[in-house]
Amino acid sequence: MSNDHIVSSFDTDLSRLDNMIAEMGGLAESQLARSVEALCKKDVKAAERIVPADKRIDELEKEIYDFTVKLIALRQPMAADLRIVISAIKISSVIERIGDYAKNISKRTVVLKNGPSLLGPLKTVSRMGDLVQNMINHALDAYIERDAEKAADVRARDREVD
């Protein structure tokens, strides 16, 4: 990120916001991968560890929201800077939902552990999980790098997951 601001601490604030989004996204990406793996392997113990780990993602969403509100109130960002801050709020909400999906997959793993073999559908779920994990990674990169083309590419790949 270029240091274009008169108040360099604003650049520090934006960098901190990026780091918070990256941490939150990394946690959600990891939890999703682990929940899909636990489901495919019917690993109940692994699935049970994922459910409480969602709390950290929830905490980060609140921290990001509080930080962005403070940033808007104190720095009064305009134009592109305001779009970055507002985007962070929206992105953190989506990441939080990914964490909830990972938690729900883990809960289903516990329910399905004694059920019939679902080898075919689980292969599809595993492939879908890989695709989504890759999309999350690229979406976070697009945000951090402020790369609209990379974001558009992620959006286009959503059709394959659908």
Side-chain angles (χ1 to χ4, degrees):
M1 181 184 323
S2 66
N3 190 354
D4 297 327
H5 300 101
I6 294 170
V7 180
S8 65
S9 60
F10 184 63
D11 288 319
T12 303
D13 289 342
L14 291 178
S15 180
R16 179 175 173 212
L17 186 57
D18 286 350
N19 290 336
M20 293 167 77
I21 291 290
E23 178 186 354
M24 186 181 185
L27 287 171
E29 188 179 347
S30 172
Q31 282 184 212
L32 181 63
R34 292 182 319 161
S35 67
V36 169
E37 182 179 351
L39 175 65
C40 291
K41 292 181 177 179
K42 291 190 175 184
D43 185 344
V44 173
K45 289 186 189 236
E48 288 173 338
R49 286 191 298 271
I50 294 165
V51 174
D54 181 56
K55 283 183 176 60
R56 178 62 185 144
I57 292 174
D58 295 342
E59 291 167 1
L60 277 168
E61 181 190 26
K62 182 173 179 356
E63 287 175 31
I64 289 169
Y65 180 81
D66 292 345
F67 185 72
T68 55
V69 168
K70 181 179 170 186
L71 201 59
I72 291 169
L74 296 178
R75 303 286 186 199
Q76 300 177 352
M78 302 291 285
D81 294 329
L82 182 59
R83 286 190 290 275
I84 290 168
V85 172
I86 297 299
S87 293
I89 294 170
K90 294 179 76 81
I91 290 167
S92 69
S93 175
V94 170
I95 294 171
E96 189 278 331
R97 196 166 58 221
I98 292 168
D100 287 347
Y101 289 145
K103 178 174 68 174
N104 290 339
I105 291 168
S106 296
K107 287 179 178 180
R108 296 293 72 79
T109 299
V110 173
V111 172
L112 294 172
K113 74 174 182 168
N114 295 323
S117 174
L118 302 169
L119 189 57
L122 289 178
K123 283 184 180 180
T124 302
V125 168
S126 178
R127 183 170 181 274
M128 185 185 302
D130 290 342
L131 290 169
V132 170
Q133 185 177 356
N134 185 275
M135 289 172 62
I136 293 168
N137 183 279
H138 282 87
L140 291 168
D141 287 349
Y143 170 77
I144 298 297
E145 297 167 13
R146 313 295 189 247
D147 187 335
E149 284 184 36
K150 192 176 274 188
D153 178 56
V154 171
R155 190 171 182 199
R157 287 190 284 153
D158 187 49
R159 288 189 185 115
E160 186 176 358
V161 174
D162 290 346

